[in-house]
Amino acid sequence: MPRRWVLLPIAVVLAAGSVAYWTWSGADVRWTVLATLGYLATIAGGLLAWGRRPDSRIGPLLLAWGAYGLVGGVGARWSPVLFLVWFCATPLYWILLAHTLLTYPDGRAHTAAERWFLRIAYATPLLWLAIATFDAPVLYRTVRPVVAAVLGLWLLALIVRRRLRMTPAQRRSATPVLWATAGPLGVFLYATALNLIGNATPIPKVLYDAYHWATPAVSFWVPAALVVGLYRSKLARADVASLLVRLRTASVDDLRAELAAVLRDPTLEIAAERPPGDARASTALGAGLLLLHHPSARDEDPELFDAAVAAAAVKLDNARLTERVRAQLAEVTASRERLVHAADEERGRIERDLHDGAQQQLIGVGMALESARMSVPEGSTTAQLLDEANDQLRASIAELRALARGLRPALLAERGLEVALQELRRRAPVPVSLTVEVPGRLDPAVETAAYFVVAESLQNASRHASGARVEVELRRAGSDLLISVRDDGPGGADQRNGSGLRGLADRVAAIGGRLTVASAPGEGTTVSARVPAPERAG
Amino acid sequence: MSDIRLVLADDSLIIRAGLARLLEAGGLHVVAEAGDVPELFRAVALEAPDVAIVDIRMPPTHTDEGIRAAGRLRREHPTTAVLVLSQYIETPYAMELLNGRHSHVGYLLKDRVLERVALIGAVRRVHAGEVVVDTALVDALLNTQAVPSALAPLSDREREVLALMAEGLTDRGIADRLNLSPKTVGTHIQHIFDRLGIADSPTDNRRVHAVLSYLQAL
């Protein structure tokens, strides 16, 4: 429990003293107890308000009002000085009440008019001091009601004006206070009227009694209205909680509408910057965005406002991070695709270079050797050397050919996937059954990936599963291409340990596909890939 | 000495020049050279050579122009035999070349130009109407462990003989290679024809049929 609640037992002690004093001085016991309980309720209400809204001055104002009610007038009988003090302080009861009701919910004056009202109101005890000093009962009787009436009407005007300037949200949570204001204001105006009329003509006692009993009722009325206000504010807090929940699924576009609903400010907007001349206040939402809202949107309930803004900022942050991650993923995917594409292009270029360059030149050299060989007599040492050179040259050319063939199978580009796979099957060192149910040509990247998946898997099978049979199957599933290479060998292949399989997985992933290897020991090895395979246009 | 007249088509001047020198030295007569397919057709139309030696990769795409040109040449100029040279020997190309043109065609690895004797032998054989397929292809296919079901009825020895037929060897050549008598080889070949269900027809065609079924089975 916060330390300020210590004030409550102190107030109870003071209340007991107050009741004792007034009873001793001959006041009506019932009225005194009722009024004192009213002030205690006010103090409790003030403590509640203070705890709920530490940033608002409403709590302290209510405490001051309740405290004044409890101790005001006590001891006046014993000391002329105290009597004078209490006499001058009489207006404080109304001034503190007016201050509370005018400035609810933040307890602060917003306009120059409100500030002037408060200054003048708080200065009235000086007027009372002047009246007491000059000891002029006439002045007291004429000036006091006039001052009270003027201040009362001014207060009424200020409250109406303040209300007109409120956002719908503020108006909504300030409504109980409007009712709260009506109570004391009515009593105040009634008292003023009694004073004005009573100066002129005698007034029935029952009218004074009504006023007499109405004043303590005000002390219950105002804190009760505040409790209702707090209750309403709690509802709004629940709105923020549900806002968080809703924002989890809502799109960023819905953010404005959701915030406007929670903060009850339909003029609210989310923008990158405040347009010049815009009268709205702005609050940073992060990500370079501003929340443009009614200038006093935050004053009504800063905690609620901050919570809603924080919820919105979290949503925006999440959206931004998601967007960034998505963009990075797209970038990585694109760059991987480019890498594989570039690598394939490069392989093709190297293959052509080997073919058109090195091999042609080697063949040219070989033909020169053959020409030389023809002019050399059969059986000579030179003939033997030339034959050896020719043999070595042809071995080199064969090696170059094998290398170039592995880099880029020309057959794949020229005759398509099925023909190239059939040739792979023919040359495979293990028996292969091949099923290709893929009509038409596919994207070159897809064909290349599929070709290398089968080629690499066949090579693995011949290396690790000699004697095994291999089933190769390619078929379409919707717009995807399914590739499966299954052998009945010993199994136990590990995708993580084979650089060949890993390279395949990368190649497949680069075109948006997925490669999986199932290879439990004793159950053979199945390499499967699923890749998006749009049919080649044209 | 026969006087076989040749046209060479290769986009490399060095290869053409070297090839021409080797072939001329071997007693063959190179009557024209071509750097691309249109030139080849002009030369063939003009010279009506006995044999055209065509590189598979030629302008403009440097892919399989030679194979396509060979097919067209055999259709349009049946008197000209075609020998295709290629960096790689692929079964589909061999089949395309042989399909429907069961004589006077050959498909050799490019580096056979360094084996003067083998090259000139191949030229003479396609000129004589035989089908010549590079031994490299047959070797590559023979190295596989797969025994296609179509060839299952054959014994190992018969399969061996069939492979050599596919290389384009004559009965005599096969007999020499396997150290058998030509008569034994003849018996094997007859068995092959029977077991592959190749009907009785002029021998040349039956041999090619056998080779084709061999290639297609693999």
Side-chain angles (χ1 to χ4, degrees):
Chain A
M1 175 144 308
R3 198 179 300 168
R4 59 177 170 273
W5 284 93
V6 166
L7 289 175
L8 196 61
I10 294 174
V12 170
V13 171
L14 284 177
S18 173
V19 169
Y21 173 81
W22 291 113
T23 310
W24 171 77
S25 57
D28 180 353
V29 178
R30 283 174 302 163
W31 189 93
T32 306
V33 169
L34 184 67
T36 306
L37 286 176
Y39 296 135
L40 280 177
T42 305
I43 284 174
L47 287 170
L48 277 174
W50 201 0
R52 196 83 186 85
R53 297 281 303 273
D55 56 298
S56 163
R57 289 182 188 156
I58 293 298
L61 277 171
L62 280 175
L63 283 178
W65 189 50
Y68 172 81
L70 280 183
V71 302
V74 172
R77 284 190 161 217
W78 301 328
S79 149
V81 176
L82 268 182
F83 177 83
L84 182 62
V85 166
W86 290 131
F87 171 75
C88 295
T90 336
L92 279 178
Y93 175 86
W94 295 105
I95 295 164
L96 286 168
L97 186 59
H99 192 168
T100 307
L101 296 176
L102 174 62
T103 60
Y104 185 88
D106 61 352
R108 285 173 173 80
H110 289 174
T111 61
E114 288 175 1
R115 273 188 289 278
W116 274 112
F117 169 80
L118 290 176
R119 273 179 214 141
I120 290 170
Y122 279 109
T124 47
L126 295 176
L127 185 63
W128 265 234
L129 184 62
I131 289 170
T133 310
F134 294 115
D135 192 18
V138 180
L139 267 183
Y140 180 74
R141 273 201 302 278
T142 54
V143 171
R144 196 182 73 141
V146 170
V147 169
V150 167
L151 286 180
L153 290 171
W154 193 5
L155 172 67
L156 200 61
L158 286 177
I159 286 177
V160 168
R161 194 175 74 148
R162 188 179 247 246
R163 188 163 175 81
L164 288 177
R165 291 182 170 192
M166 282 180 175
T167 62
Q170 291 170 322
R171 233 174 266 159
R172 182 178 173 278
S173 62
T175 300
V177 173
L178 205 63
W179 288 106
T181 310
L185 192 70
V187 174
F188 173 80
L189 293 176
Y190 183 67
T192 308
L194 279 186
N195 277 334
L196 286 175
I197 300 164
N199 285 344
T201 53
I203 286 173
K205 185 181 173 294
V206 66
L207 292 181
Y208 281 106
D209 282 350
Y211 166 71
H212 185 64
W213 284 99
T215 36
V218 168
S219 316
F220 289 101
W221 187 277
V222 172
L226 270 176
V227 168
V228 173
L230 288 177
Y231 177 72
R232 290 247 174 155
S233 182
K234 269 195 171 152
L235 273 185
R237 256 152 239 271
D239 285 353
V240 174
S242 72
L243 172 71
L244 264 177
V245 174
R246 278 201 309 281
L247 284 186
R248 277 172 63 95
T249 50
S251 73
V252 173
D253 301 335
D254 299 335
L255 196 58
R256 193 212 77 85
E258 296 280 1
L259 274 179
V262 167
L263 297 176
R264 296 186 185 82
D265 181 357
T267 68
L268 171 149
E269 255 186 289
I270 295 172
E273 58 182 49
R274 180 160 48 174
D278 193 302
R280 286 174 294 184
S282 65
T283 303
L285 278 176
L289 288 175
L290 292 175
L291 183 66
L292 301 178
H293 52 81
H294 191 279
S296 58
R298 188 174 181 275
D299 303 335
E300 182 215 341
D301 188 341
E303 273 183 71
L304 168 69
F305 183 85
D306 291 347
V309 166
V314 165
K315 176 68 186 177
L316 282 175
D317 250 14
N318 275 344
R320 195 167 39 115
L321 286 177
T322 309
E323 192 45 50
R324 191 187 294 166
V325 168
R326 202 171 286 154
Q328 279 171 350
L329 189 65
E331 175 52 37
V332 168
T333 307
S335 86
R336 191 158 57 171
E337 218 169 299
R338 282 197 300 274
L339 280 177
V340 168
H341 184 70
D344 281 346
E345 294 269 292
E346 191 61 12
R347 292 165 82 112
R349 196 185 61 75
I350 294 172
E351 190 267 346
R352 278 190 298 276
D353 283 356
L354 285 178
H355 178 273
D356 300 333
Q359 281 186 304
Q360 297 283 60
Q361 283 168 16
L362 287 179
I363 288 173
V365 170
M367 288 191 299
L369 286 179
E370 277 289 278
S371 299
R373 175 69 181 74
M374 285 187 285
S375 56
V376 172
E378 207 66 42
S380 68
T381 318
T382 312
Q384 204 181 330
L385 282 174
L386 284 174
D387 284 343
E388 273 172 29
N390 192 312
D391 286 347
Q392 281 174 17
L393 194 64
R394 279 188 290 126
S396 304
I397 291 172
E399 266 176 46
L400 268 185
R401 176 170 47 243
L403 178 64
R405 198 172 198 281
L407 283 175
R408 190 192 69 126
L411 202 55
L412 178 65
E414 290 162 22
R415 289 293 182 271
L417 190 53
E418 183 166 4
V419 171
L421 290 179
Q422 277 166 358
E423 187 69 351
L424 264 187
R425 175 186 66 78
R426 286 188 194 99
R427 295 177 184 232
V430 288
V432 177
S433 77
L434 175 70
T435 314
V436 181
E437 290 169 4
V438 184
R441 297 293 301 264
L442 302 171
D443 184 84
V446 174
E447 288 193 338
T448 307
Y451 179 87
F452 280 112
V453 166
V454 175
E456 179 75 26
S457 303
L458 286 181
Q459 197 149 48
N460 284 340
S462 67
R463 208 178 290 151
H464 304 297
S466 60
R469 289 196 59 82
V470 185
E471 284 174 34
V472 177
E473 198 181 317
L474 279 86
R475 58 189 173 82
R476 293 194 75 105
S479 63
D480 286 356
L481 173 67
L482 301 185
I483 306 154
S484 125
V485 183
R486 191 167 40 243
D487 72 47
D488 55 1
D494 190 344
Q495 184 171 356
R496 282 163 299 173
N497 289 339
S499 68
L501 281 176
R502 217 171 32 226
L504 279 188
D506 286 348
R507 180 180 271 282
V508 168
I511 53 170
R514 227 176 95 76
L515 182 103
T516 49
V517 179
S519 187
E523 294 183 13
T525 301
T526 303
V527 177
S528 353
R530 185 183 188 112
V531 292
E535 225 156 297
R536 192 186 282 189
Chain B
M1 168 128 333
S2 69
D3 192 15
I4 297 177
R5 300 173 70 252
L6 284 162
V7 167
L8 304 182
D10 193 309
D11 65 328
S12 161
L13 186 67
I14 299 171
I15 300 283
R16 286 205 307 269
L19 200 51
R21 195 159 60 231
L22 285 175
L23 294 168
E24 296 273 3
L28 306 176
H29 187 40
V30 176
V31 292
E33 292 175 20
D36 57 29
V37 175
E39 274 184 39
L40 166 66
F41 276 89
R42 269 200 300 278
V44 170
L46 199 66
E47 301 287 349
D50 300 310
V51 179
I53 296 181
V54 181
D55 187 61
I56 192 168
R57 279 197 195 185
M58 274 196 292
T61 67
H62 293 276
T63 54
D64 56 354
E65 278 81 1
I67 289 284
R68 297 173 194 278
R72 220 183 110 200
L73 267 185
R74 289 296 299 134
R75 273 195 308 278
E76 297 177 7
H77 302 276
T79 55
T80 300
V82 182
L83 185 61
V84 175
L85 298 181
S86 173
Q87 202 60 53
Y88 311 112
I89 293 291
E90 309 277 12
T91 319
Y93 291 153
M95 279 157 53
E96 279 174 38
L97 198 57
L98 268 47
N99 251 339
R101 334 251 142 241
H102 295 162
S103 63
H104 298 93
V105 289
Y107 182 41
L108 285 189
L109 267 183
K110 186 84 172 261
D111 23 323
R112 297 296 169 213
V113 302
L114 304 189
E115 296 166 77
R116 187 165 44 98
V117 179
L119 178 68
I120 291 170
V123 170
R124 290 192 190 286
R125 273 160 50 201
V126 294
H127 179 233
E130 285 185 39
V131 168
V132 176
V133 176
D134 200 283
T135 51
L137 178 63
V138 180
D139 285 347
L141 299 179
L142 276 180
N143 280 339
T144 67
Q145 289 174 17
V147 179
S149 54
L151 300 184
L154 303 185
S155 72
D156 285 350
R157 178 59 94 185
E158 285 158 2
R159 220 173 282 139
E160 231 174 327
V161 171
L162 179 58
L164 293 175
M165 281 166 68
E167 284 182 31
L169 293 188
T170 58
D171 291 9
R172 171 101 226 153
I174 296 171
D176 287 353
R177 186 81 70 89
L178 297 178
N179 281 327
L180 299 171
S181 73
K183 190 165 171 287
T184 316
V185 170
T187 314
H188 283 313
I189 290 175
Q190 191 56 49
H191 280 161
I192 292 168
F193 290 161
D194 292 348
R195 292 187 179 177
L196 294 183
I198 295 165
D200 203 4
S201 63
T203 314
D204 270 357
N205 279 347
R206 293 177 77 190
R207 289 179 71 93
V208 173
H209 274 304
V211 170
L212 271 178
S213 47
Y214 175 75
L215 290 178
Q216 275 158 0
L218 289 173

